Amino acid sequence: MKRIDLKPGDRLFGIINAFILMIIACVTIYPFLNILALSFNDATDASRGGIYLLPRKLTMDNYLVVFVNKQLLDAFMVSIARTATGALLSVLFTAMLAYSLSRRELIGRKYFNALFIFTMFVNAGLIPLFMLYKTLHIYNTFFVYILPGLIWAYYMIIIRTYMQQLPKSLEESAFIDGANDLQVFFKIILPVSKPVLATILLFLAVDHWNEWHDTLFFTASPKLETLQYVLMKILQQSEAYNMASRYTGLAKRAIRVTPQSVRMAITIIATVPILCVYPFLQKYFVKGIMLGAIKG
Amino acid sequence: MKEARLNQKLHPAGVPTNNTFLKRANAQKYLLLMSVPFVLWAVVFFYVPIWGWLMAFQDFNPAKGILGSPWVGLKHFIRFFGDGDFIMIMRNTLAISFLNCILTNTLPVILALMLNEVRNIFFKRGIQTISYLPHFVSYVIVANIFLTILSPSEGVVNGILLQLGLIDEPFFFFAQPELFWFLVGFINIWKEAGWLAIIYIAAISSIDPQLYEAGTADGAGRFRKIWHITLPSIKPTIVVLLILSIGQMLNSGSLSVSFDPSYLLGNSMTIDYAEVIDTYIYRFGIKMNLYSFATAVGLFRIVIGFVLIVAADKAAKKFFGEEGII
């Protein structure tokens, strides 16, 4: 947007504006940096306070303790498993549904559409869902991470909108060649929809990675604990972690960690994947949100 | 022009066959394969559990199921209203939601306006990128971060306050009940402002530049332009999001607002100010297995949430003259 700065007041405004925005950015990012510093700082030294941006007594112990702790490693694997499985299956099925709903001739299209849109507003409540999952025998199983969140209407709409804007000629030439709908879907629509599918895959992956409520409400076994859930438990200090013992044996020296210091390390570990995909989220999501905002 | 391959299957003799339902269905069998299973899935996972609301009117016994459990009418609702905690929970829920509603419908707008005024595109993108980072991180991480930052021992806030001599002893932020709502309000907006601003930025970017040019021609400065052009143009967006916010004050679609702060940041010292409807339902329903009671409370919440959103919609039409969302 081009505007001519006529008044010196405008320039002052610009400077103050930029200054305040920088403060906002600092307030947003600084807490992360502080946790990062604390995670690399010796536990006893950290509890004395005064760590702001850099570690004072550098140590890798907090991280090393995490990596030899079986419970944490298992939780990490569970998180990875549910993120990968959940996100991939979700994208595939959501895309299938979106494609079928993008075709005008689908029988019952209007009703199916309405049904899915309503799911965005319908929330039966915690206890009814609890009962449902128990009845379906997915309570306290890995499936409770995958099945309930299989299709999100919001994402389906975004994908469907995208597919509706694809040129019909793509499909038509395939149909003329005798392909059926499934073949057209897998061989033409899916490859062509890569941008939107990548976006939704990312969003779903982030959602799964961050999710811990389903662990809390719908599982009971420690084998199903995810990384976020374990982090949450440590936060509440309802788990007494005898963290140091195993690593002490390996390192042959006294290791001092506290729940607080290990918490810092786990927090960073849980945040790093988000940071890794952040540039991609950046790149793709504006389109996705724009599509959703305009159409929705 | 209709899809030729679908509805008209020409007989070799050139006479169209009957378009019976079965024939149409057979022609699109793969499309149906790609949709009907998921429709069934949606019915099972979204609509079937609604039958669970019946539990609110029963003394539900899992062994007997819904069909076998005795009916008790409004017993659980009455018990909930009569509970000494009822007022406290409603007060807490509404206070936290109300504060959240105000903050999330004003500050992101201001942030969007400020970002819009930035001329350097790299600076603007940079600030924006940083601003929505907290949105993508789970509330568990956010809670960890702030419990640490505000901690009496290693927290930087206490460190600075002590150094500046403003306090003599470390301050236990999260042990002060009266402070809880405001801490939650701040943390929520810290987490979501950047993300919410995006919607407003999108709305602002669709404003016709000619309006601004006309404004310049009329001698309008930056503030004038914001007040007379930008804000009125995004008023519909603001109103819609405001209505949705109000509707979610009790019936939060997102647990991030209604459950997480209270569950993760609250403790035994602040519980009188921290306990909200969702944590209450969790405690009584899942932890204490009082299924019927918890279902009744949940149902109450949904009904009130619905009433709120309808009321907000009507109020918006009346006071702002805007089209609501219903």
Side-chain angles (χ1 to χ4, degrees):
Chain A
M1 201 167 20
K2 287 186 190 151
R3 284 201 299 269
I4 310 165
D5 260 348
L6 290 174
K7 311 173 185 171
D10 269 359
R11 201 168 272 172
L12 181 65
F13 175 93
I15 293 177
I16 296 181
N17 190 47
F19 185 65
I20 298 180
L21 283 173
M22 292 228 11
I23 294 186
I24 292 178
C26 287
V27 168
T28 306
I29 198 83
Y30 175 70
F32 290 99
L33 298 175
N34 184 244
I35 302 295
L36 184 66
L38 281 168
S39 71
F40 283 108
N41 201 71
D42 174 79
T44 330
D45 179 72
S47 58
R48 282 179 15 222
I51 309 286
Y52 292 104
L53 209 52
L54 289 171
R56 187 166 54 207
K57 211 172 162 200
L58 191 64
T59 175
M60 296 291 292
D61 287 354
N62 298 321
Y63 287 95
L64 292 167
V65 159
V66 169
F67 290 129
V68 300
N69 182 302
K70 182 167 195 306
Q71 182 174 10
L72 287 167
L73 284 177
D74 284 348
F76 188 73
M77 296 320 284
V78 173
S79 279
I80 300 234
R82 80 165 283 177
T83 302
T85 322
L88 284 168
L89 279 180
S90 259
V91 163
L92 178 63
F93 292 148
T94 309
M96 266 192 206
L97 178 67
Y99 178 60
S100 62
L101 289 178
S102 75
R103 297 277 295 274
R104 291 228 178 90
E105 67 269 23
L106 181 71
I107 298 173
R109 181 173 179 248
K110 262 187 239 158
Y111 301 108
F112 295 169
N113 266 324
L115 186 121
F116 277 99
I117 292 183
F118 276 144
T119 63
M120 288 199 281
F121 305 107
V122 163
N123 181 8
L126 185 59
I127 305 300
L129 286 177
F130 178 81
M131 283 299 156
L132 177 74
Y133 299 158
K134 283 214 148 178
T135 315
L136 293 174
H137 296 292
I138 61 174
Y139 174 82
N140 204 31
T141 68
F142 188 72
F143 292 108
V144 82
Y145 291 149
I146 311 290
L147 279 176
L150 208 54
I151 311 266
W152 293 107
Y154 183 64
Y155 295 141
M156 187 277 290
I157 291 175
I158 292 177
I159 298 181
R160 188 194 63 193
T161 308
Y162 181 90
M163 288 181 175
Q164 279 168 330
Q165 289 166 351
L166 295 173
K168 290 274 180 266
S169 51
L170 285 171
E171 298 167 84
E172 270 160 24
S173 41
F175 287 133
I176 292 173
D177 288 342
N180 63 39
D181 298 302
L182 268 182
Q183 289 168 325
V184 169
F185 174 71
F186 279 106
K187 294 202 176 137
I188 299 186
I189 304 291
L190 271 193
V192 159
S193 306
K194 274 207 197 111
V196 75
L197 293 180
T199 310
I200 302 300
L201 180 69
L202 263 174
F203 277 144
L204 283 166
V206 169
D207 287 344
H208 271 289
W209 180 258
N210 285 336
E211 190 50 63
W212 57 279
H213 299 102
D214 42 16
T215 313
L216 178 66
F217 299 144
F218 306 124
T219 69
S221 159
K223 285 194 219 159
L224 286 169
E225 289 178 354
T226 58
L227 189 65
Q228 302 279 347
Y229 180 78
V230 168
L231 182 57
M232 188 270 294
K233 285 249 147 224
I234 299 181
L235 181 70
Q236 308 219 309
Q237 292 181 322
S238 49
E239 302 263 329
Y241 272 81
N242 193 5
M243 295 255 173
S245 56
R246 194 156 165 219
Y247 184 56
T248 309
L250 289 169
K252 296 185 173 41
R253 61 182 165 91
I255 305 296
R256 281 181 317 272
V257 292
T258 59
Q260 285 81 2
S261 67
V262 178
R263 242 172 61 200
M264 300 303 110
I266 304 182
T267 303
I268 297 294
I269 293 175
T271 308
V272 161
I274 307 289
L275 290 175
C276 287
V277 301
Y278 202 58
F280 303 101
L281 281 169
Q282 260 266 75
K283 187 175 161 199
Y284 287 122
F285 87 82
V286 174
K287 286 188 207 139
I289 288 301
M290 291 283 201
L291 275 174
I294 293 170
K295 289 287 177 177
Chain B
M1 184 177 140
K2 297 233 188 278
E3 263 81 17
R5 53 178 279 290
L6 192 47
N7 286 339
Q8 311 276 316
K9 246 190 169 168
L10 286 182
H11 218 266
V15 175
T17 57
N18 268 340
N19 291 329
T20 61
F21 178 79
L22 279 174
K23 284 221 163 82
R24 273 175 64 206
N26 185 53
Q28 50 177 251
K29 58 177 178 267
Y30 292 113
L31 284 184
L32 290 171
L33 183 69
M34 290 197 277
S35 54
V36 169
F38 303 119
V39 169
L40 291 174
W41 169 90
V43 168
V44 167
F45 280 91
F46 286 88
Y47 296 104
V48 163
I50 295 184
W51 287 103
W53 289 356
L54 290 174
M55 290 193 287
F57 303 98
Q58 297 177 322
D59 267 340
F60 182 74
N61 182 336
K64 295 183 191 160
I66 288 189
L67 294 173
S69 298
W71 294 92
V72 297
L74 297 175
K75 165 178 152 191
H76 295 295
F77 292 93
I78 295 173
R79 178 179 160 190
F80 176 51
F81 298 139
D83 191 335
D85 290 337
F86 173 70
I87 305 271
M88 173 196 87
I89 292 165
M90 293 304 292
R91 179 201 65 178
N92 295 344
T93 309
L94 287 170
I96 294 178
S97 300
F98 189 65
L99 189 56
N100 192 57
C101 184
I102 295 181
L103 290 176
T104 58
N105 283 292
T106 52
L107 297 182
V109 177
I110 298 177
L111 179 60
L113 291 172
M114 282 170 53
L115 281 168
N116 189 51
E117 295 294 321
V118 172
R119 305 255 290 277
N120 183 326
I121 220 181
F122 294 113
F123 183 66
K124 177 177 173 183
R125 283 244 185 92
I127 301 285
Q128 246 199 299
T129 305
I130 294 179
S131 75
Y132 50 70
L133 175 61
H135 166 82
F136 287 105
V137 158
S138 78
Y139 212 98
V140 173
I141 291 180
V142 172
N144 254 315
I145 289 177
F146 279 95
L147 282 165
T148 306
I149 301 262
L150 294 171
S151 134
S153 51
E154 64 245 343
V156 291
V157 173
N158 270 308
I160 294 179
L161 290 177
L162 281 168
Q163 285 230 327
L164 290 178
L166 289 169
I167 53 177
D168 297 319
E169 290 181 327
F171 188 67
F172 284 75
F173 284 92
F174 284 105
Q176 305 295 326
E178 297 84 2
L179 212 52
F180 187 77
W181 297 343
F182 301 99
L183 286 170
V184 170
F186 174 75
I187 293 175
N188 280 342
I189 199 67
W190 177 89
K191 188 176 192 296
E192 298 297 336
W195 176 257
L196 293 171
I198 292 172
I199 307 230
Y200 299 112
I201 291 173
I204 291 175
S205 64
S206 67
I207 297 177
D208 186 350
Q210 288 185 345
L211 287 173
Y212 289 108
E213 286 163 27
T216 315
D218 286 343
R222 288 212 208 188
F223 280 111
R224 276 268 172 104
K225 285 191 191 136
I226 294 175
W227 188 256
H228 289 286
I229 300 176
T230 316
L231 276 178
S233 302
I234 61 174
K235 193 168 125 190
T237 311
I238 297 179
V239 170
V240 165
L241 291 176
L242 184 61
I243 295 177
L244 287 173
S245 260
I246 294 177
Q248 286 187 341
M249 271 177 65
L250 271 180
N251 183 26
S252 264
S254 162
L255 285 168
S256 278
V257 176
S258 64
F259 181 84
D260 295 2
S262 296
Y263 186 75
L264 297 171
L265 298 168
N267 51 52
S268 49
M269 285 177 277
T270 53
I271 193 159
D272 285 341
Y273 280 73
E275 183 91 320
V276 291
I277 279 193
D278 278 321
T279 48
Y280 189 78
I281 293 175
Y282 167 69
R283 263 203 306 132
F284 281 84
I286 301 219
K287 292 187 82 176
M288 293 200 249
N289 294 333
L290 294 173
Y291 300 129
S292 279
F293 180 66
T295 309
V297 176
L299 193 50
F300 166 76
R301 187 195 66 169
I302 291 174
V303 166
I304 299 290
F306 186 69
V307 167
L308 271 176
I309 205 170
V310 169
D313 192 67
K314 290 212 153 56
K317 285 185 181 135
K318 209 165 171 211
F319 291 121
F320 294 112
E322 292 285 342
E323 287 295 305
I325 58 174
I326 297 177

